[in-house]
Amino acid sequence: MAVEDALTAIDVLAGTVGEVSPQIAEVLVAVTAATSTARRRLGLPVDPGPAPGATALPGPRVGRRTRSGRRGLGPGFQGIR
């Protein structure tokens, strides 16, 4: 359902932005409360939790990135003639 997806996106965004600072988290409590109220009024589950069969996304890779040995056009490149 599109409404449920939109409310979930708002909750996730509010949670992510709220991690920036405690003051922002305090302000975003109102957003979370509003989405919960909207869920109740629409008859949707208030705490949707993870969807059945959903898997957690892997985090970003940590470590060094490897690059190919050759980069750029090299010192002998003369351009288009």
Side-chain angles (χ1 to χ4, degrees):
M1 178 184 273
V3 173
E4 187 173 3
D5 292 341
L7 291 172
T8 301
I10 292 169
D11 284 338
V12 169
L13 183 61
T16 304
V17 173
E19 291 177 0
V20 173
S21 96
Q23 291 89 8
I24 293 174
E26 288 177 22
V27 172
L28 292 175
V29 169
V31 173
T32 307
T35 56
S36 295
T37 302
R39 286 179 194 279
R40 274 194 299 278
R41 289 182 180 174
L42 294 171
L44 300 172
V46 175
D47 186 22
T55 58
L57 297 175
R61 287 191 231 163
V62 178
R64 261 183 103 170
R65 288 181 26 183
T66 59
R67 296 186 183 198
S68 63
R70 185 164 187 242
R71 293 181 41 188
L73 298 174
F77 180 71
Q78 299 283 322
I80 298 174
R81 297 180 200 197

